[in-house]
């Protein structure tokens, strides 16, 4: 935060191997070091394109793991592996299993070891219109990222010139991995509709059995209002927990922008299984 405050907006993002990252959070030394990270078969890996509900599922998974294993000393640090410095990498290599990890990486940019070790991955998706809106506000609220203006950010998102790359490239890649038994895809919209069902499915997928009472407790602690008013994220609470709704895009998109997104979705994802899971016509029309 301190470093970001003294930086010019144009220096806050940079490109590493063709993809934009935060200069402060993911300097090149982190991204080089993470390539050789050793995954474990029992790591719990959470994956999401930015603003699809990653921090929500961080809270859910931490609580599932703590309730099921009784372990409460899990390091309470941001789990994004691309934020790990080389020293943090070493620290994580010493941690007992099961480790909780996360990433916004495109699957092709993930350390090869995760595939080799058949690490289970929970992947969270969200409709592209609300994802774009959430990303726009995040850019303007998070001091480590440059401020952006709506029309420019809209076109950058559409062309994939945003942190971690193109929403559509990520979605196409995950669509191809939907048959992988070690990959479980959930959507923000389904979780909003039935969070208890989501908690049950996620705990089963990772093999962390929960009693119904534990499910209900985790549910009550991870609704949007519980998390926004909770103290887990300190000063960053307002940055991570904004509106927590489906459909806020209607307050931001012009008619032409909405149409442009509809066309892009139709071209890139409409015929895919992930595209169907996103229920575009319900949430984006
Ligand atoms: P909005 O900006 O639309 O409000 P990420 O954690 O991947 O950065 O995603 C952030 C989005 O998830 C934000 O969306 C945030 O408000 C929303 N979110 C965070 N916690 C949530 C919760 N418990 N329930 C629903 N949405 C939540």
């Amino acid at each position: 935060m301190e470093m970001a405050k003294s930086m010019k907006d144009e220096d806050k993002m940079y490109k590493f191997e063709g993809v934009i990252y935060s200069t402060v959070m993911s300097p090149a030394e982190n991204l080089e070091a993470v390539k050789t990270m050793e995954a474990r078969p029992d790591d719990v890996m959470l994956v999401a394109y930015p603003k699809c509900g990653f921090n929500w599922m961080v809270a859910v998974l931490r609580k599932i793991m703590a309730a099921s294993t009784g372990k409460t000393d899990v390091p309470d640090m941001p789990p994004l592996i691309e934020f790990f410095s080389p020293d943090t990498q070493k620290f994580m290599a010493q941690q007992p299993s099961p480790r909780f990890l996360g990433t916004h990486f495109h699957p092709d940019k993930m350390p090869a070891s995760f595939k080799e070790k058949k690490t289970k991955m929970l992947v969270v998706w969200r409709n592209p219109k609300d994802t774009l809106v959430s990303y726009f506000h995040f850019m303007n609220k998070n001091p480590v990222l440059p401020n952006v203006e709506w029309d420019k950010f809209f076109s950058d998102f559409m062309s994939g010139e945003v942190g971690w790359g193109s929403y559509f490239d990520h979605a196409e890649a995950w669509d191809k991995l939907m048959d992988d038994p070690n990959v479980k895809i959930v959507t923000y919209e389904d979780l909003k509709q039935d969070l208890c069902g989501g908690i049950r499915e996620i705990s089963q997928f990772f093999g962390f059995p929960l009693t119904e009472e534990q499910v209900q407790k985790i549910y009550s602690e991870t609704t949007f209002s519980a998390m926004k008013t909770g103290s887990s994220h300190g000063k960053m609470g307002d940055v991570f927990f904004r509106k927590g709704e489906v459909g806020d895009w209607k307050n931001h998109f012009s008619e032409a922008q909405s149409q442009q997104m509809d066309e892009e979705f139709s071209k890139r994802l409409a015929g895919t299984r992930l595209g169907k899971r996103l229920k575009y016509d319900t949430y984006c029309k």
Side-chain angles (χ1 to χ4, degrees):
M1 290 296 168
E2 286 311 310
M3 186 177 162
K5 273 187 211 153
S6 61
M7 281 174 94
K8 289 198 210 110
D9 264 6
E10 59 266 35
D11 297 331
K12 288 181 179 174
M13 308 293 272
Y14 79 110
K15 268 195 178 173
F16 181 87
E17 297 178 353
V19 180
I20 298 175
Y21 295 99
S22 153
T23 315
V24 175
M25 303 307 290
S26 299
E29 59 170 0
N30 291 14
L31 298 176
E32 280 298 347
V34 80
K35 285 182 188 172
T36 51
M37 180 173 185
E38 281 293 323
R40 299 180 193 160
D42 58 2
D43 282 337
V44 171
M45 183 51 138
L46 172 64
V47 190
Y49 184 78
K51 311 320 292 173
C52 286
F54 183 84
N55 288 284
W56 187 10
M57 289 305 108
V58 168
V60 165
L61 270 167
R62 281 214 169 108
K63 287 174 192 296
I64 290 176
M65 290 171 76
S68 182
T69 63
K71 266 179 59 169
T72 47
D73 59 343
V74 184
D76 188 16
M77 53 193 257
L80 288 170
I81 58 174
E82 55 270 38
F83 289 0
F84 291 175
S85 67
D87 279 348
T88 309
Q89 294 270 5
K90 285 184 200 136
F91 170 78
M92 289 309 287
Q94 311 296 322
Q95 293 306 299
S97 292
R99 299 181 302 181
F100 176 44
L101 303 168
T103 186
H104 292 325
F105 276 139
H106 183 287
D108 294 351
K109 299 276 181 195
M110 279 176 65
S113 178
F114 285 93
K115 205 165 176 210
E116 288 155 16
K117 296 280 163 57
K118 299 191 177 10
T119 307
K120 285 193 178 175
M121 299 184 205
L122 175 69
V123 188
V124 195
W125 277 97
R126 187 180 193 182
N127 80 68
K129 289 185 177 175
D130 285 334
T131 303
L132 192 160
V133 167
S134 185
Y135 211 155
F136 166 73
H137 287 288
F138 190 64
M139 296 292 291
N140 288 316
K141 278 184 172 181
N142 188 339
V144 306
L145 302 174
N147 285 333
V148 291
E149 176 272 320
W150 171 256
D151 286 337
K152 170 83 169 69
F153 185 75
F154 177 86
S155 58
D156 286 349
F157 184 96
M158 296 308 286
S159 60
E161 285 296 302
V162 290
W164 285 279
S166 153
Y167 172 98
F168 292 98
D169 288 353
H170 282 237
E172 281 181 342
W174 282 109
D175 174 67
K176 295 194 176 71
L177 294 167
M178 281 183 79
D179 283 334
D180 186 329
N182 300 310
V183 171
K184 178 166 186 65
I185 301 214
V186 293
T187 70
Y188 181 94
E189 294 77 12
D190 285 350
L191 289 160
K192 279 293 286 185
Q193 279 222 323
D194 181 12
L195 181 53
C196 280
I199 294 168
R200 283 187 209 103
E201 272 186 45
I202 293 166
S203 66
Q204 276 162 20
F205 171 68
F206 284 112
F208 293 121
L210 296 177
T211 64
E212 191 50 32
E213 202 182 322
Q214 287 172 321
V215 171
Q216 295 300 329
K217 182 164 185 291
I218 294 172
Y219 163 77
S220 68
E221 291 168 352
T222 55
T223 60
F224 182 74
S225 55
M227 285 186 65
K228 193 170 169 73
T229 50
S231 58
S232 59
H233 285 72
K235 279 190 200 151
M236 290 299 277
D238 275 351
V239 178
F240 286 116
F241 310 108
R242 190 185 64 92
K243 264 197 164 174
E245 287 171 6
V246 178
D248 193 32
W249 64 269
K250 290 177 188 152
N251 300 316
H252 294 75
F253 276 55
S254 69
E255 191 49 44
Q257 287 167 337
S258 180
Q259 213 174 324
Q260 191 183 333
M261 181 65 92
D262 295 350
E263 282 163 16
E264 192 66 10
F265 189 88
S266 160
K267 205 162 68 191
R268 306 281 300 268
L269 291 171
T272 67
R273 284 176 301 169
L274 179 57
K276 290 196 179 72
R277 287 283 300 280
L278 288 169
K279 301 185 189 124
Y280 191 85
D281 285 356
T282 306
Y283 298 119
C284 290
K285 293 259 174 98

